[in-house]
């Protein structure tokens, strides 16, 4: 599995020019813990890629956006270090991993600019996200606006939560249980 690290800058978007991607399906998210909910989302991206003859990648953000935006906030410590996350994704059969360094310039991108630059710019033809996925400045973009922001240039699949014992499987719930 190829791992591509992208460090956003405040300047022009020429930083993506060195990366040439075949048309692909991207699973988007932090994927902290790569738990059952994340695995379902990635499996859906892999299914769509296989059915359409596309490569399948995962786009993640490091550090965790919540930890970056609220460094004093408790309960955002990484469940899975990036190296372990990459190993799990490789075992799952993901073709490539894109790691976006979540930094100040990236946090200030508008939702439309994120889609144009980081999804369409990387030849994403289909994005797969969780129902609660947020993107763009102050999380203004969300799963339901992703297709609109892509202007019909990319399909979007929204994956519903995976539930166990009537509770959504999430990194937050896992952290809460670990702290208890």
């Amino acid at each position: 599995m190829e791992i591509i690290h992208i460090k956003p800058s405040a300047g022009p978007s020429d930083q993506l020019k060195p990366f040439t991607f075949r048309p692909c399906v991207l699973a988007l998210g932090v994927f902290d813990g790569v738990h059952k909910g994340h695995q379902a989302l990635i499996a859906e991206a892999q299914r769509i890629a296989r059915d359409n003859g596309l490569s399948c990648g995962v786009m993640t953000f490091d550090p965790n956006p919540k930890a970056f935006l609220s460094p004093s906030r408790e309960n955002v410590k990484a469940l899975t270090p990036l190296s372990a996350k990459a190993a799990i994704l490789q075992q799952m059969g993901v073709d490539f991993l894109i790691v976006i360094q979540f930094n100040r310039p990236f946090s200030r991108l508008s939702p439309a600019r994120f889609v144009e630059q980081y999804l369409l710019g990387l030849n994403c033809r289909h994005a797969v996200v969780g129902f609660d996925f947020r993107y763009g400045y102050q999380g203004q973009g969300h799963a339901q606006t992703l297709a609109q922001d892509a202007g019909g240039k990319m399909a979007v699949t929204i994956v519903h939560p995976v539930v166990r014992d009537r509770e959504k499987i999430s990194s937050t719930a896992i952290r809460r249980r670990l702290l208890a």
Side-chain angles (χ1 to χ4, degrees), residues 6 8 15 59 100 106 109 114-120 122:
I6 299 175
Q15 64 188 353
M59 178 182 283
I100 306 286
F106 187 78
L109 285 176
F114 166 75
V115 171
E116 181 67 33
Q117 190 170 340
Y118 289 91
L119 299 181
L120 299 176
L122 293 173

Side-chain angles (χ1 to χ4, degrees), residues 91-104:
Q91 285 179 325
M92 290 179 70
V94 170
D95 296 318
F96 60 92
L97 171 63
I98 300 171
V99 180
I100 306 286
Q101 181 184 11
F102 198 92
N103 59 19
R104 186 72 49 211

Side-chain angles (χ1 to χ4, degrees), residues 1-4 21-22 24-29 31 34 38-47 49-50 54-60 84-99 128:
M1 176 181 74
E2 182 179 10
I3 302 175
I4 299 110
F21 286 90
R22 295 180 297 137
C24 63
V25 176
L26 285 176
L28 309 174
F31 300 109
V34 196
H38 296 148
Q39 291 171 26
L41 193 149
I42 294 164
E44 179 64 10
Q46 289 174 309
R47 184 194 65 74
R50 186 175 49 251
L54 301 171
S55 59
C56 180
V58 168
M59 178 182 283
T60 192
K85 186 185 313 187
I88 294 166
L89 295 172
Q90 183 168 4
Q91 285 179 325
M92 290 179 70
V94 170
D95 296 318
F96 60 92
L97 171 63
I98 300 171
V99 180
V128 181

Side-chain angles (χ1 to χ4, degrees), residues 14 32 35 43 95 141:
D14 293 342
D32 191 15
H35 54 64
D95 296 318

